[in-house]
């Protein structure tokens, strides 16, 4: 079954995969091997390439080894067969392209690919906006937005053409679902099981926006390390204070914490806690 046929005739509910993920999944199915085997093998390859790129960028064997040994990464991608490492890798590449290489168009295109795979990358848009704000590069921001939108449109055009309603639904359902305190994650609201989810969502949003606004105001040096730190804190703060969190939604924070604070006890503790979240 081709993508257009699948997308046009899909009549199920709560499809959690965006068009980009469906494209890749259908390519994997064409190998004629068990899908799970192909998926886990591909995840393993992505993880190895991710580590290799990290070493090329940072040129630090301690960081490279530490990222390679992140236990939750192997548990989630290779053992469990989840695809969170795909978009985390793309966010990393997009940040490197912008903050280290000043490649605005390439950064925007990579980010568009990430957003077409999973919706979580949207929460990191403030980090990219912070770059243009600090640089006062408004023309660069305009180009970034244009190429981000164009790339996203081209990737999603087959889905938009085949079934516009379904495409809109898969991109909006995360926001429209009824509030629950948690979707399996151990965040702040795990300890307040009797609280009203709508109130928790409002309070969590206030805490998230307040903490991140303060952190962005304190960030002075515009470089890759600052970008990785802000992205890590965005992910971690969002995971801890927002409702409807799944256990895997802190995947970027776990990996980026190892890059920016390899031997820090906080990074080690975060990765242990994140692994426990998966078990």
């Amino acid at each position: 079954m081709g993508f257009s046929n699948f997308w046009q005739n899909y009549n199920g509910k709560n499809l959690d995969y965006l068009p980009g993920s469906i494209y890749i999944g259908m390519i994997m199915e064409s190998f004629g091997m068990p899908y799970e085997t192909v998926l886990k093998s591909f995840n393993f390859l992505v993880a190895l390439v991710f580590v290799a790129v990290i070493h090329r960028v940072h040129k630090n064997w301690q960081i490279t080894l530490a990222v390679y040994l992140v236990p939750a990464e192997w548990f989630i991608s290779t053992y469990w067969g989840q695809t969170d490492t795909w978009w985390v890798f793309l966010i990393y590449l997009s940040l490197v392209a912008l903050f280290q290489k000043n490649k605005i168009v390439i950064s925007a295109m990579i980010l568009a690919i990430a957003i077409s795979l999973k919706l979580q990358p949207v929460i990191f848009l403030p980090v990219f906006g912070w770059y243009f704000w600090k640089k006062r590069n408004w023309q660069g921001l305009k180009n970034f937005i244009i190429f981000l939108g164009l790339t996203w449109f081209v990737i999603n055009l087959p889905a938009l053409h085949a079934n516009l309603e379904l495409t809109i639904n898969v991109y909006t359902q995360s926001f429209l679902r009824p509030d629950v305190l948690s979707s399996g994650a151990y965040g702040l609201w795990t300890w307040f099981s009797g609280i009203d989810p709508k109130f928790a969502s409002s309070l969590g949003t206030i805490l998230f926006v307040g903490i991140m606004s303060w952190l962005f105001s304190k960030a002075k040096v515009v470089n890759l390390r600052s970008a990785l730190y802000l992205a890590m804190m965005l992910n971690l703060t969002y995971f801890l204070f927002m409702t409807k969190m799944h256990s895997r939604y802190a995947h970027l924070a776990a990996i980026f914490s190892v890059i920016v604070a390899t031997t820090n006890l906080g990074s080690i503790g975060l990765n242990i806690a994140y692994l426990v979240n998966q078990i």
Side-chain angles (χ1 to χ4, degrees):
M1 178 186 295
F3 173 82
S4 294
N5 190 29
F6 166 80
W7 205 252
Q8 187 173 10
N9 296 293
Y10 182 82
N11 58 6
K13 295 182 179 180
N14 298 325
L15 181 63
D16 287 327
Y17 295 97
L18 300 184
S21 295
I22 301 293
Y23 299 156
I24 297 175
M26 288 189 164
I27 292 173
M28 289 181 178
E29 286 184 336
S30 69
F31 278 77
M33 298 170 59
Y35 178 77
E36 186 174 336
T37 300
V38 178
L39 173 62
K40 291 181 178 180
S41 299
F42 183 71
N43 285 349
F44 178 75
L45 179 61
V46 170
L48 289 182
V49 174
F50 193 178
V51 170
V53 171
I54 287 173
H55 182 70
R56 182 176 178 83
V57 171
H58 300 277
K59 296 179 174 59
N60 185 315
W61 278 107
Q62 188 178 42
I63 292 176
T64 303
L65 183 62
V67 173
Y68 181 78
L69 294 176
V70 170
E73 160 59 26
W74 296 111
F75 180 82
I76 289 173
S77 63
T78 306
Y79 175 78
W80 196 0
Q82 299 295 330
T83 61
D84 299 85
T85 302
W86 300 2
W87 67 264
V88 173
F89 183 24
L90 290 170
I91 290 292
Y92 177 80
L93 288 177
S94 186
L95 291 173
V96 170
L98 185 62
F99 283 84
Q100 190 172 80
K101 306 295 184 181
N102 196 33
K103 302 293 186 180
I104 293 173
V105 172
I106 293 175
S107 176
M109 294 174 70
I110 295 172
L111 180 59
I113 297 171
I115 294 173
S116 299
L117 294 176
K118 286 277 190 176
L119 201 56
Q120 289 97 312
V122 170
I123 72 169
F124 303 102
L125 288 174
V127 180
F128 296 91
W130 175 73
Y131 171 88
F132 295 106
W133 171 261
K134 297 294 285 187
K135 297 281 187 179
R136 298 297 191 269
N137 185 357
W138 311 126
Q139 183 59 46
L141 176 59
K142 179 181 177 182
N143 292 338
F144 186 88
I145 293 173
I146 289 173
F147 280 93
L148 175 64
L150 282 175
T151 306
W152 180 90
F153 180 76
V154 170
I155 294 172
N156 289 271
L157 184 57
L160 292 166
H161 180 264
N163 193 332
L164 178 61
E165 183 179 356
L166 177 61
T167 306
I168 294 174
N169 180 59
V170 296
Y171 274 103
T172 59
Q173 64 177 338
S174 295
F175 303 103
L176 300 177
R177 285 174 181 166
D179 264 314
V180 292
L181 293 179
S182 173
S183 292
Y186 296 105
L188 173 65
W189 306 117
T190 305
W191 307 99
F192 300 93
S193 58
I195 195 171
D196 177 45
K198 290 186 177 180
F199 173 77
S201 178
S202 299
L203 179 58
T205 300
I206 294 172
L207 290 170
F208 169 68
V209 172
I211 292 172
M212 290 313 306
S213 296
W214 179 77
L215 285 174
F216 273 103
S217 71
K218 293 295 182 180
K220 305 299 182 184
V221 181
V222 183
N223 57 22
L224 179 60
R225 180 179 175 82
S226 296
L228 294 175
Y229 173 78
L230 288 171
M232 176 194 74
M233 291 305 300
L234 259 173
N235 190 196
L236 184 59
T237 308
Y238 192 84
F239 179 80
L240 290 175
F241 295 118
M242 299 300 287
T243 56
K244 298 188 283 188
M245 289 296 102
H246 191 278
S247 63
R248 303 193 316 274
Y249 285 4
H251 200 64
L252 180 142
I255 295 176
F256 279 22
S257 70
V258 176
I259 299 174
V260 301
T262 309
T263 58
N264 185 281
L265 290 178
S267 172
I268 296 172
L270 170 60
N271 274 276
I272 292 174
Y274 183 57
L275 178 61
V276 170
N277 247 273
Q278 315 309 316
I279 300 174

